[in-house]
Structures are given as structure tokens and as C-alpha cells.
């Protein structure tokens, strides 16, 4: 079986040791290079043939964020860092995952499995990726795994990761928004327009100037009201037609 070709970039040898050990335990990964030199790693990525990069953020000469901007989308990236404050910026650069040190193997495996599933569902023109799945029989009805399944938001004291599947609805207030999940309410300084643009449109829809809802969490719709977990959410006149068009497409 052809494996995903990986490189690990970190200025701490111990961190590289851990990544090398973890990669060796995953059948679909192959570590082709470990390096403390970010510029060397960048040259490898730009040359092509690298599928996945484990990338530290705070490094001399070239930071992980600078690396991502220069690489400009070549390869997939999992950030490995001790600093949570870069999560939001890295998310905007479309990293696959953000692992905080010390990294547990189960969390590492979940991250690389997500990359593996995404590349399988959305193969690129890269010859390594094409050859990885060329021998596999095509499924009768392939279902692509979503590329985006979480968001990062700034709260008062930290940057918090939220799984999209946990979100019930989002309420916009004057200077902030409240994200209601299955287990908690998360308050963040953000505007509704930016949140609406960030969320996948096949999973979330704006139904009012103050509400965005998760479509799969709707329990019932009665006239101009939506019920989600006993919460009554109004449907605004501006959003009514688009919402019901979306719902009609799912009717049976």
C-alpha cells in the first residue's frame, strides 16, 4: 500500500522524536524527512511529492504561520505547538488540525485519520495521492467526508475549538454572539455575517438577523417558528423565502 508521505518540522529534537514514533505506528503514513530547518522543509514542499506536514509554529528563521503563507496550500498541514493563541489565524490558513503539546497518540491518530479520509474522498492531482488510492475499487455511492468539521472562536480568556456537529444554533447580540452547543453556551466577540460566511452552507442557515441554526438540529417548524431543543427561534421576513426553499428541497 502506498503511504502518505510526511515531513516533520520542529526546532525541538524531542518533539521530532515523538512525531517520528507516532508516524511509525500508523500504517498509512511514511515519514520521509524530519528536520529542524523550516526553510529546508519548505523547499521540499514546494518541490512537490509531500502529502502531509507536521509543523511547529515558533521556530527560528521561519515561523509556522509564515511557512503556511509561503507554501500557499501545497500539501496538508497539522500544526504541532505548545501555543494555543495561533489557532484562529492558522484556521484561516486551512490547516487540517491543530495539536497542542504534549500530544497524545489518540489525538494524533484522529488528526491524521481525518487527513487520510479527506484525501481519499478528494484526491488531488499530486501523483502520490493518485497512486495511493488508484488500486482501490470505487464504491458504488461514495460519501465525501467534510473537510471542515470544527471552528475556533476567541472567548474571554482563550481560543476554543468547537465541533460543528455540537452546534445547535447561534444567537447574535449587540456586540457579541452566543454559540449554543449540546453541552454549553460559548460567548465570543464576533459578528453574525462573519460567522455565516465561515459555517458550511449545507449544514447551517441564517433564519433571522439574530439567529443561525444547524439544519440537522431542527425538531419542528410551525408557521414562522423553529424549535430546537425546546428553544423557539423566529424566522425573519428577510430570510423566510430562502429558508423554506432550502427545506422544500429536503421534503419527502
Amino acid at each position: 500500500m502506498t503511504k502518505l508521505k510526511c515531513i516533520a518540522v520542529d526546532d525541538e529534537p524531542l518533539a521530532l522524536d515523538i512525531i517520528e514514533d507516532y508516524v511509525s505506528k500508523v500504517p498509512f503514513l511514511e515519514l520521509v524527512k524530519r528536520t529542524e530547518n523550516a526553510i529546508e522543509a519548505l523547499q521540499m514542499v514546494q518541490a512537490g511529492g509531500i502529502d502531509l506536514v507536521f509543523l511547529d509554529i515558533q521556530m527560528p528563521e521561519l515561523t509556522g504561520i509564515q511557512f503556511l503563507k509561503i507554501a500557499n496550500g501545497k500539501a496538508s498541514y497539522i500544526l504541532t505547538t505548545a501555543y494555543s493563541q495561533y489557532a484562529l489565524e492558522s484556521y484561516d490558513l486551512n490547516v487540517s488540525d491543530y495539536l497542542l503539546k504534549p500530544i497524545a497518540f489518540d489525538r494524533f491518530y484522529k488528526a491524521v485519520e481525518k487527513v487520510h479520509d479527506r484525501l481519499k474522498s478528494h484526491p488531488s492531482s499530486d501523483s502520490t495521492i493518485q497512486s495511493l488510492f488508484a488500486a482501490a475499487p470505487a464504491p458504488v455511492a461514495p460519501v465525501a467526508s467534510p473537510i471542515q468539521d470544527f471552528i475556533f472562536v476567541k472567548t474571554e480568556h482563550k481560543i476554543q475549538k468547537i465541533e460543528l456537529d455540537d452546534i445547535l444554533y447561534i444567537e447574535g447580540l449587540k456586540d457579541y454572539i452566543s454559540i449554543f452547543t449540546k453541552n454549553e453556551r460559548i460567548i465570543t466577540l464576533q459578528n453574525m455575517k462573519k460567522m455565516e460566511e465561515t459555517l458550511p452552507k449545507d449544514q447551517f442557515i441564517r433564519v433571522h438577523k439574530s439567529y443561525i441554526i444547524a439544519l440537522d438540529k431542527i425538531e419542528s417548524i410551525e408557521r414562522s417558528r423553529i424549535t430546537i431543543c425546546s428553544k423557539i427561534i423566529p424566522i425573519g421576513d428577510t430570510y423566510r423565502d430562502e429558508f423554506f426553499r432550502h427545506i422544500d428541497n429536503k421534503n419527502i
Side-chain angles (χ1 to χ4, degrees), residues 180-196:
F180 291 83
T181 73
K182 297 174 181 177
N183 302 312
E184 61 182 328
R185 175 191 181 191
I186 301 161
I187 298 174
T188 177
L189 286 171
Q190 182 63 270
N191 63 66
M192 290 289 280
K193 179 175 174 56
K194 175 66 174 176
M195 183 59 68
E196 183 181 9

Side-chain angles (χ1 to χ4, degrees), residues 57 65 68-69 79 81 83-95 97-98 100 148 150-155 158-162 179 188-191 194-195 198:
I57 289 182
I65 298 298
L68 288 168
K69 290 177 179 179
L79 294 186
T81 177
Y83 303 94
S84 62
Q85 64 263 38
Y86 300 100
L88 194 61
E89 184 176 3
S90 68
Y91 175 72
D92 288 338
L93 293 169
N94 295 317
V95 301
D97 214 328
Y98 192 100
L100 286 175
Q148 178 186 353
F150 63 90
I151 57 173
F152 285 107
V153 298
K154 292 180 180 178
T155 61
K158 61 183 178 181
I159 295 174
Q160 184 164 344
K161 180 179 179 180
I162 305 174
I179 302 172
T188 177
L189 286 171
Q190 182 63 270
N191 63 66
K194 175 66 174 176
M195 183 59 68
T198 299

Side-chain angles (χ1 to χ4, degrees), residues 2-242:
T2 305
K3 302 181 179 183
L4 296 182
K5 296 189 180 298
C6 312
I7 58 175
V9 192
D10 203 305
D11 62 339
E12 299 178 4
L14 180 58
L16 290 173
D17 289 342
I18 292 171
I19 295 298
E20 183 172 12
D21 177 57
Y22 284 0
V23 168
S24 70
K25 296 176 180 177
V26 181
F28 53 79
L29 298 182
E30 177 187 356
L31 187 67
V32 298
K33 182 72 174 180
R34 51 173 285 175
T35 180
E36 299 174 35
N37 188 324
I39 295 176
E40 177 188 28
L42 181 61
Q43 290 172 340
M44 291 183 65
V45 170
Q46 291 178 323
I50 300 300
D51 304 315
L52 176 59
V53 181
F54 300 99
L55 182 64
D56 188 23
I57 289 182
Q58 290 205 342
M59 297 181 292
E61 297 180 340
L62 195 66
T63 70
I65 298 298
Q66 291 169 334
F67 190 112
L68 288 168
K69 290 177 179 179
I70 296 171
N72 195 27
K74 288 191 174 183
S76 297
Y77 292 87
I78 294 175
L79 294 186
T80 58
T81 177
Y83 303 94
S84 62
Q85 64 263 38
Y86 300 100
L88 194 61
E89 184 176 3
S90 68
Y91 175 72
D92 288 338
L93 293 169
N94 295 317
V95 301
S96 296
D97 214 328
Y98 192 100
L99 302 181
L100 286 175
K101 300 174 182 177
I103 302 167
F105 178 73
D106 61 333
R107 182 67 182 86
F108 174 89
Y109 188 86
K110 181 179 179 181
V112 298
E113 185 178 41
K114 180 168 60 178
V115 175
H116 178 263
D117 290 345
R118 175 172 60 82
L119 294 178
K120 183 176 180 179
S121 298
H122 304 275
S124 71
S125 60
D126 184 275
S127 58
T128 303
I129 299 301
Q130 287 184 331
S131 63
L132 177 61
F133 303 108
V140 174
V143 179
S145 299
I147 296 175
Q148 178 186 353
D149 55 11
F150 63 90
I151 57 173
F152 285 107
V153 298
K154 292 180 180 178
T155 61
E156 186 176 358
H157 302 295
K158 61 183 178 181
I159 295 174
Q160 184 164 344
K161 180 179 179 180
I162 305 174
E163 299 288 342
L164 294 185
D165 188 54
D166 289 340
I167 297 175
L168 302 173
Y169 61 91
I170 297 165
E171 182 178 6
L173 302 170
K174 184 177 180 181
D175 298 317
Y176 58 90
I177 63 174
S178 291
I179 302 172
F180 291 83
T181 73
K182 297 174 181 177
N183 302 312
E184 61 182 328
R185 175 191 181 191
I186 301 161
I187 298 174
T188 177
L189 286 171
Q190 182 63 270
N191 63 66
M192 290 289 280
K193 179 175 174 56
K194 175 66 174 176
M195 183 59 68
E196 183 181 9
E197 292 172 350
T198 299
L199 294 169
K201 293 188 172 25
D202 61 332
Q203 297 174 251
F204 296 87
I205 190 168
R206 192 165 183 177
V207 296
H208 188 275
K209 67 178 182 179
S210 299
Y211 289 98
I212 297 171
I213 65 166
L215 286 162
D216 65 341
K217 303 303 189 301
I218 295 174
E219 295 173 0
S220 65
I221 304 166
E222 183 180 357
R223 296 181 180 175
S224 295
R225 301 187 302 173
I226 299 164
T227 302
I228 298 179
C229 287
S230 301
K231 169 71 175 179
I232 304 299
I233 297 172
I235 303 173
D237 291 341
T238 304
Y239 306 92
R240 183 189 312 276
D241 290 346
E242 178 62 25

